[in-house]
Amino acid sequence: MNIQRSMVRGIAVLGAAAAAAVVAPTVSSAAPAQETASVATKAVAKSANAGICGKYAGTVRGCAGFRAYDEHLIVCDKRADGRAVVAQLYWAGKIRAAVKDRNGAKNPCYYLDLSIAEGTPVYVRAYVQGLGYTKWDRGVA
C-alpha cells in the first residue's frame, strides 16, 4: 500500500458520487450491515465507486471515496477548520485501510493505492475529527 497525493483536488469519485451522499457525521463506528447476493448484484451494476462527505452545521467538512478502477481510497479535507479528515475502507469483515488528508484543506487530496480482489464488496466512510463518522457507502473492487 502506497500513500500518494493526487494531482487534482476534485477527484471524480468525490465529485458526483459524494455530492449526492452528503450526510451529517455520527459517533457510530459500527460495521456495515451484511448484504444478500441479490442486493450485491444490483449494487455492482449501479456503480462500483463509492463516495461520501461529512456535513456539519450546513458545511461540508471532508469527503472520502473509493475509486474501483484503480482501487484507490481517497480523502479530501474541504474546510480549513483545524479538523483532520480520515477515509476508512472496510472489507472482508473489518476496516482494512485508512488514509488521512495531511495538508488540511489545501490541494491536493490524498489517496491510498490498494490491491483488492475484483468483485469484493467494500464500504467507505469519512471521519471528521471532533465531529464523528459519516455513514458507510458501498462500492465494489
Side-chain angles (χ1 to χ4, degrees):
M1 291 188 242
N2 298 321
I3 296 178
Q4 301 175 350
R5 295 186 297 172
S6 69
M7 303 315 288
V8 179
R9 184 77 174 157
I11 297 173
V13 72
L14 294 179
V22 174
V23 298
T26 65
V27 294
S28 171
S29 61
Q34 297 300 314
E35 297 182 352
T36 64
S38 61
V39 173
T41 302
K42 290 178 187 173
V44 172
K46 181 179 174 187
S47 175
N49 294 332
I52 193 157
C53 291
K55 186 175 183 179
Y56 183 77
T59 302
V60 173
R61 303 298 177 129
C63 298
F66 175 75
R67 190 168 52 202
Y69 174 74
D70 44 13
E71 297 166 352
H72 285 168
L73 175 60
I74 306 158
V75 63
C76 290
D77 190 333
K78 297 292 193 178
R79 183 91 173 161
D81 56 7
R83 298 178 188 274
V85 179
V86 177
Q88 294 181 327
L89 194 66
Y90 175 102
W91 80 91
K94 66 182 181 179
I95 296 170
R96 296 183 174 272
V99 62
K100 179 179 180 179
D101 188 325
R102 299 184 183 277
N103 63 356
K106 298 176 187 171
N107 287 335
C109 296
Y110 278 74
Y111 70 91
L112 186 62
D113 189 7
L114 301 165
S115 180
I116 305 169
E118 190 168 334
T120 301
V122 298
Y123 301 85
V124 65
R125 71 177 175 184
Y127 171 76
V128 180
Q129 181 183 12
L131 300 177
Y133 295 92
T134 63
K135 68 178 186 172
W136 293 99
D137 193 37
R138 185 183 188 285
V140 179

